[in-house]
């Protein structure tokens, strides 16, 4: 008997927990801590207490208590009644009505916030004028100046908080509109996150929308995500929302937010050379393929523009007839391979020249209606570093490289299938090793001059193009964020492949 009772109580607990984590349970619109801060800041800047907000908040709290009690009642009823029973159906209907009432009350609360925000804006303007006058009359350390500075801070906090309520109201209105637009609602929630980082409602909504599943809305959104601006995507990314896009030919693309990094440069005055630093700034985010372009993806291109059999035979014959050199260097790195890569669609495409890679990008652009190209080496390095200025994106410990890169000592005379090892923080696989990757720039020994450089494009012309990241036969130094080399744009080599980027409009 006791065991049965304990079993029933445990079952009730599980049902209550599961139900409470369902659509009925969500964070309070304004929690008690926020309300206390609002009342305190309002008193500090000298405006009346937000009584309407306090009263509606009290109604909302009571509704949420009723909701929790009804959820418990439903959980207990679920022990002895089936889901189709009259009681369970009745309780579900009551819960749905309570949820509607909560939503209506939240709308009223947001409307009250909008009314109150007008009073806040007017008072903040007066405080700002008073602050300017006080700063001209009093020293910064004086009591008078500190008081007005404190009032100004309180006013700014209130203004920002109520701006976030205004944007939240707009976002909810878009969601409930008959002409609901996914991109408008995500943009509204992104604006909310820029004012209120970590806002749970905004994060949960955007994560749900940007999660790949079988719903028509989500597939449509992910297929058309370029309708979102770079600023919106950056805001979402900066708030921990993972964004992966699926393009043509099964090519997955990861978002690389705008950013900057420092690297060593050479400063030359006459014949004197000195070490200096360059600050590289990339002003626009972009999409970069998660993996190096694979054999399978490249052969789709060949199928559409040339005769497949001729190309397949060309690659296979060259791979099979070249002499295999098993000589190792001091890093135990193999120097050649007989990797017959066309037999494995998931291996990175090699034996492609720079011009081949550009032709692939043009083909994909025409196919997809979007602009694809190769990254500049500055863009490539930003993506490889993921904001870190260490030798590798994971730090300076060379022992960890084995977890991220197929390089000399690990390569088994060949490339590896893409995605076998760990990705970096942007979700990019094999950014180090496996194959060198073509970049758009012409090669120069010192590509970046000292100082701040914005969106560098490299030299206007030289004899070779830049390749980055090292390959299956490279040393650890080359398989790093700063590892670079060069090759003639016509060269087809067993250690060179490529990764594509999509430019945001």
């Amino acid at each position: 008997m006791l065991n049965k009772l304990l079993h029933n109580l445990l079952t009730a607990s599980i049902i209550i927990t599961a139900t409470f984590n369902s659509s009925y349970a969500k964070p309070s619109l304004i929690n008690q801590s926020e309300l206390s801060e609002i009342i305190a800041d309002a008193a500090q800047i000298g405006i009346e207490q937000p009584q309407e907000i306090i009263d509606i908040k009290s109604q909302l709290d009571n509704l949420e208590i009723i909701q929790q009690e009804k959820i418990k009642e439903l959980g207990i009823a679920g022990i002895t009644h089936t889901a189709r029973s009259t009681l369970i159906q009745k309780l579900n209907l009551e819960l749905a009505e309570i949820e509607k009432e909560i939503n209506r009350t939240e709308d009223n609360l947001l409307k009250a916030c909008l009314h109150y925000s007008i009073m806040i804006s007017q008072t903040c303007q007066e405080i700002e004028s008073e602050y300017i006058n006080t700063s001209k009359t009093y020293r910064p350390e004086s009591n008078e100046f500190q008081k007005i500075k404190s009032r100004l801070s309180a006013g700014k906090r209130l203004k920002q908080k109520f701006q976030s309520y205004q944007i939240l109201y707009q976002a909810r209105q878009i969601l409930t509109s008959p002409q609901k637009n996914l991109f408008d609602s995500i943009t509204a929630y992104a604006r909310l996150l820029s004012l209120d980082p970590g806002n749970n409602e905004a994060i949960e909504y955007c994560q749900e929308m940007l999660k790949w599943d079988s719903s028509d809305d989500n597939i449509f959104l992910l297929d058309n995500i370029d309708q979102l601006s770079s600023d919106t995507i950056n805001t979402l990314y900066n708030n921990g929302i993972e964004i992966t896009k699926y393009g043509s030919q099964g090519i997955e693309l990861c978002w690389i937010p705008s950013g900057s990094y420092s690297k060593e440069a050479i400063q030359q005055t006459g014949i004197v050379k000195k070490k200096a630093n360059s600050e590289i700034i990339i002003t626009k985010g972009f999409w970069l393929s998660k993996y190096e372009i694979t054999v399978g993806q490249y052969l789709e291109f060949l199928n559409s523009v040339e005769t497949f059999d001729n190309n397949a035979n060309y690659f296979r014959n060259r791979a099979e007839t070249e002499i295999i050199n098993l000589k190792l260097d001091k890093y135990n790195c193999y120097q050649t391979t007989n990797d017959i890569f066309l037999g494995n669609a998931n291996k990175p495409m090699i034996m492609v020249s720079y011009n081949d890679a550009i032709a692939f990008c043009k083909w994909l652009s025409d196919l997809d209606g979007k602009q694809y190209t190769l990254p500049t080496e500055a863009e490539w390095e930003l993506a490889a570093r993921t904001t870190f200025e260490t030798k590798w994106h994971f730090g300076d410990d060379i022992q960890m490289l084995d977890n991220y890169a197929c390089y000399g000592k690990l390569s088994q005379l060949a490339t590896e299938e893409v995605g076998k090892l760990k990705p970096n923080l942007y979700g990019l696989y094999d950014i180090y090793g496996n194959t060198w990757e073509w970049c758009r720039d012409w090669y120069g020994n010192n590509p970046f001059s000292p100082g701040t450089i914005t969106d560098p494009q490299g030299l206007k012309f030289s004899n070779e193009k830049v390749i980055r990241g090292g390959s299956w036969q490279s040393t650890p130094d080359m398989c790093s964020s700063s590892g670079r080399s060069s090759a003639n744009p016509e060269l087809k080599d067993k250690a060179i492949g490529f990764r594509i980027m999509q430019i945001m409009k």
Side-chain angles (χ1 to χ4, degrees):
M1 183 70 179
L2 183 60
N3 286 342
K4 186 175 180 181
L5 179 61
L6 289 172
H7 171 72
N8 287 346
L9 288 172
L10 180 60
T11 305
S13 173
I14 291 168
I15 292 171
I16 291 166
T17 303
T19 310
F20 200 62
N21 289 334
S22 72
S23 60
Y24 294 120
K26 61 180 181 181
S28 277
L29 178 59
I30 300 175
N31 61 38
Q32 201 56 48
S33 173
E34 284 178 301
L35 187 60
S36 299
E37 289 169 2
I38 289 168
I39 293 169
D41 285 338
Q44 189 164 1
I45 68 173
I47 59 176
E48 63 186 48
Q49 185 170 286
Q51 194 58 48
E52 185 183 9
I53 293 173
I54 294 169
D55 292 342
I56 298 174
K57 170 62 179 164
S58 177
Q59 294 171 25
L60 188 59
D61 288 344
N62 289 334
L63 283 168
E64 287 173 350
I65 290 169
I66 295 169
Q67 182 190 49
Q68 290 172 26
E69 291 299 322
K70 191 64 66 177
I71 288 170
K72 290 178 184 177
E73 191 179 343
L74 179 61
I76 293 168
I79 299 171
T80 53
H81 292 74
T82 66
R84 293 185 179 182
S85 70
T86 304
L87 177 61
I88 297 296
Q89 290 181 8
K90 176 176 174 290
L91 290 172
N92 275 323
L93 285 172
E94 289 174 357
L95 260 176
E97 285 301 316
I98 293 168
E99 186 174 18
K100 285 180 185 176
E101 187 59 32
I102 286 173
N103 289 337
R104 282 193 290 269
T105 307
E106 285 188 346
D107 277 351
N108 291 336
L109 182 55
L110 286 171
K111 286 175 185 175
C113 288
L114 299 185
H115 296 151
Y116 197 62
S117 68
I118 296 170
M119 190 188 306
I120 292 169
S121 294
Q122 291 171 344
T123 304
C124 282
Q125 285 179 357
E126 295 168 7
I127 293 172
E128 285 168 10
S129 299
E130 191 179 343
Y131 176 80
I132 292 169
N133 293 332
T134 304
S135 65
K136 293 176 182 176
T137 310
Y138 295 94
R139 292 178 178 276
E141 62 272 17
S142 67
N143 288 335
E144 289 80 1
F145 183 83
Q146 291 300 319
K147 283 179 183 176
I148 190 63
K149 184 180 177 182
S150 181
R151 287 185 68 209
L152 182 65
S153 297
K156 284 181 176 178
R157 283 195 301 272
L158 268 182
K159 192 173 180 179
Q160 181 172 327
K161 188 173 288 295
F162 279 81
Q163 278 178 341
S164 71
Y165 296 148
Q166 181 178 2
I167 294 169
L168 177 57
Y169 179 74
Q170 292 168 352
R172 288 187 174 189
Q173 292 300 106
I174 291 168
L175 281 178
T176 56
S177 166
Q179 292 82 34
K180 180 177 76 169
N181 184 303
L182 292 171
F183 302 101
D184 288 347
S185 56
I186 286 183
T187 300
Y189 275 117
R191 286 176 60 213
L192 175 60
L193 286 170
S194 65
L195 279 172
D196 182 15
N199 182 283
N200 285 334
E201 180 172 333
I203 287 173
E204 286 173 12
Y205 174 76
C206 293
Q207 281 177 336
E208 188 63 31
M209 283 295 96
L210 292 165
K211 183 175 65 180
W212 182 265
D213 63 21
S214 58
S215 74
D216 291 340
D217 279 354
N218 290 20
I219 291 172
F220 171 80
L221 177 63
L222 286 164
D223 285 347
N224 297 276
I225 203 168
D226 297 310
Q227 292 185 35
L228 295 172
S229 70
S230 294
D231 288 343
T232 296
I233 296 172
N234 272 336
T235 300
L236 297 174
Y237 180 84
N238 291 335
N239 280 274
I241 296 166
E242 183 181 343
I243 306 174
T244 302
K245 191 172 68 151
Y246 296 77
S248 292
Q249 308 307 310
I251 298 174
E252 295 179 52
L253 300 155
C254 297
W255 178 248
I256 312 300
S258 55
S260 63
Y261 60 93
S262 295
K263 64 185 288 118
E264 198 173 85
I266 301 296
Q267 188 172 32
Q268 186 162 350
T269 307
I271 60 171
V272 178
K273 291 183 179 180
K274 293 181 180 179
K275 288 185 179 179
N277 279 330
S278 297
E279 179 76 10
I280 314 298
I281 300 172
I282 306 298
T283 58
K284 290 184 179 179
F286 55 93
W287 298 96
L288 195 64
S289 54
K290 179 181 283 192
Y291 310 105
E292 292 153 333
I293 295 302
T294 64
V295 169
Q297 290 160 350
Y298 193 81
L299 292 186
E300 286 293 329
F301 160 61
L302 291 183
N303 267 325
S304 68
V305 296
E306 298 179 56
T307 305
F308 170 81
D309 288 341
N310 290 340
N311 283 280
N313 289 334
Y314 165 74
F315 285 122
R316 282 202 176 96
N317 290 340
R318 182 161 179 178
E320 289 170 356
T321 56
E322 280 195 21
I323 298 170
I324 301 172
N325 177 7
L326 296 179
K327 183 179 178 182
L328 306 178
D329 65 12
K330 66 179 180 179
Y331 294 100
N332 291 325
C333 295
Y334 297 112
Q335 297 305 302
T336 60
T337 177
N338 68 338
D339 179 13
I340 305 174
F341 56 95
L342 285 181
N344 189 332
N346 292 322
K347 282 202 170 189
M349 187 63 193
I350 53 177
M351 303 296 294
V352 282
S353 68
Y354 171 86
N355 295 329
D356 291 336
I358 289 294
F360 177 90
C361 291
K362 184 180 184 307
W363 167 75
L364 192 64
S365 298
D366 293 341
L367 190 70
D368 218 18
K370 299 178 174 70
Q371 189 177 357
Y372 294 98
T373 186
L374 301 175
T376 64
E377 68 168 317
E379 289 164 339
W380 185 97
E381 189 161 335
L382 178 75
R385 288 186 177 279
T386 62
T387 73
F388 296 105
E389 294 184 2
T390 49
K391 189 165 188 175
W392 298 281
H393 59 73
F394 51 78
D396 291 315
D397 183 0
I398 192 172
Q399 300 301 321
M400 291 181 65
L401 184 60
D402 294 4
N403 298 319
Y404 295 90
C406 166
Y407 69 106
K409 70 174 184 176
L410 300 176
S411 67
Q412 304 299 315
L413 286 177
T415 54
E416 283 287 346
E417 289 186 12
V418 299
K420 288 286 189 181
L421 298 171
K422 289 184 178 180
N424 72 5
L425 292 180
Y426 288 152
L428 302 172
Y429 288 83
D430 307 303
I431 199 75
Y432 307 137
N434 221 9
T435 74
W436 286 100
E437 298 175 14
W438 288 111
C439 293
R440 289 205 308 273
D441 316 60
W442 292 102
Y443 180 81
N445 287 329
N446 299 303
F448 305 124
S449 56
T452 300
I453 310 170
T454 302
D455 297 322
Q457 299 296 311
L459 300 180
K460 290 186 177 178
F461 183 76
S462 71
N463 293 323
E464 297 188 323
K465 288 287 186 178
V466 174
I467 52 176
R468 296 296 303 260
S471 76
W472 59 270
Q473 62 181 186
S474 295
T475 64
D477 280 346
M478 287 300 183
C479 297
S480 66
S481 296
S482 57
R484 64 193 296 266
S485 189
S486 64
N488 185 293
E490 296 292 341
L491 178 67
K492 297 176 188 281
D493 189 272
K494 292 178 181 178
I496 303 178
F498 67 107
R499 188 185 300 263
I500 63 168
M501 69 174 284
Q502 186 206 321
I503 302 170
M504 287 287 286
K505 293 179 181 178

